[in-house]
Amino acid sequence: MTRRAGARARWWLVVAFAIGMAWVEAASVYYLRVIADRVEPYQPNPLPLLENFQQVELVREVATLVMLLTVGLLAGRTWRTRLGYSSIAFGVWDIFYYVCLRLMSDWPKSLFDWDVLFLLPLPWWGPVLAPVCIALLMIVGGTLVSQYPNRRAVTPLTPTLWRLNWLGVALALYVFMADSIRAVPRGLEVTRTVLPTAFNWSVFVVALMLMAAPVAQTAWAMRPRRLDPQTGRFPARDS
């Protein structure tokens, strides 16, 4: 098996794992929401306290991240490809999580339905479309890195692009947790009852563009090259 074929096979195995994990995750969430009578999360008291479920749920979320990272570490051969496969696993899992929930509970009704995305360190809220956009970006970026590991897009601009990426991550996190952050002065328990009324799409789009900066650079470096008519050679990748 060639190196390229092996990378493609690992890509499909990671995707298959993520889809299977998405069903398990969606089933767990579906069971919890049925018990709490919150199949549709956007309603008064969206996160009711049910005995010891809160701590169990927090640990489950951490365990989910560990599993997604682990499959990437096992699939990759270098730190770049390991992160790439982890990104693919996360993106595919996130998208198919909603596909599976739709099959199980007929929710979400649309990509603009509000959902509780995460609980650590505070509840994250956002329309389903928002995490799906990030998931698609992670799949594209992870695929470029994992399937073309030798075509590195390292230029003097690279560190700046990654700083922009992390700035975008911070902005997106703020948008998701903005309502919870504003509720913190009234107590952490209050953050569990907050229902957002508006999503800051303008700031989120800026965050998404910043997060896409290194992905766009990588894609540009992998564009098909044409022979220079004067030298008869291919130009450098970073030109």
Side-chain angles (χ1 to χ4, degrees), residues 10-11 13-18 21 64-77 81-90 93:
R10 285 191 293 275
W11 190 94
L13 287 173
V14 169
V15 169
F17 172 88
M21 185 176 168
T64 297
L65 297 179
V66 171
M67 293 173 68
L68 293 171
L69 179 61
T70 300
V71 72
L73 294 177
L74 292 174
R77 297 293 183 268
T81 57
R82 287 165 183 157
L83 289 177
Y85 282 118
S86 294
S87 295
I88 293 167
F90 191 101
W93 160 80

Side-chain angles (χ1 to χ4, degrees), residues 122-125 176-185 191-192 194:
L122 296 170
W124 305 15
W125 280 94
F176 289 139
M177 291 188 286
D179 294 277
S180 297
I181 292 172
R182 285 192 287 267
V184 167
T191 64
R192 300 177 57 83
V194 170

Side-chain angles (χ1 to χ4, degrees), residues 66-204:
V66 171
M67 293 173 68
L68 293 171
L69 179 61
T70 300
V71 72
L73 294 177
L74 292 174
R77 297 293 183 268
T78 65
W79 71 267
R80 294 180 75 249
T81 57
R82 287 165 183 157
L83 289 177
Y85 282 118
S86 294
S87 295
I88 293 167
F90 191 101
V92 173
W93 160 80
D94 204 8
I95 292 173
F96 276 88
Y97 163 75
Y98 286 112
V99 172
C100 295
L101 268 182
R102 171 74 178 188
L103 293 174
M104 294 175 188
S105 63
D106 199 31
W107 184 92
K109 302 291 186 182
S110 79
L111 290 174
F112 294 97
D113 282 358
W114 285 93
D115 188 27
V116 182
L117 308 177
F118 213 62
L119 297 177
L120 294 171
L122 296 170
W124 305 15
W125 280 94
V128 171
L129 180 60
V132 167
C133 288
I134 296 176
L136 289 172
L137 182 62
M138 295 180 73
I139 294 171
V140 172
T143 298
L144 291 175
V145 169
S146 65
Q147 301 303 296
Y148 307 96
N150 296 323
R151 299 184 184 179
R152 301 187 64 182
V154 179
T155 70
L157 189 61
T158 299
T160 300
L161 293 176
W162 277 105
R163 292 188 189 100
L164 292 175
N165 174 272
W166 287 111
L167 175 60
V169 171
L171 278 177
L173 291 177
Y174 171 76
V175 172
F176 289 139
M177 291 188 286
D179 294 277
S180 297
I181 292 172
R182 285 192 287 267
V184 167
R186 290 178 285 161
L188 290 178
E189 290 303 319
V190 177
T191 64
R192 300 177 57 83
T193 63
V194 170
L195 281 180
T197 57
F199 188 73
N200 197 333
W201 281 107
S202 58
V203 175
F204 178 77

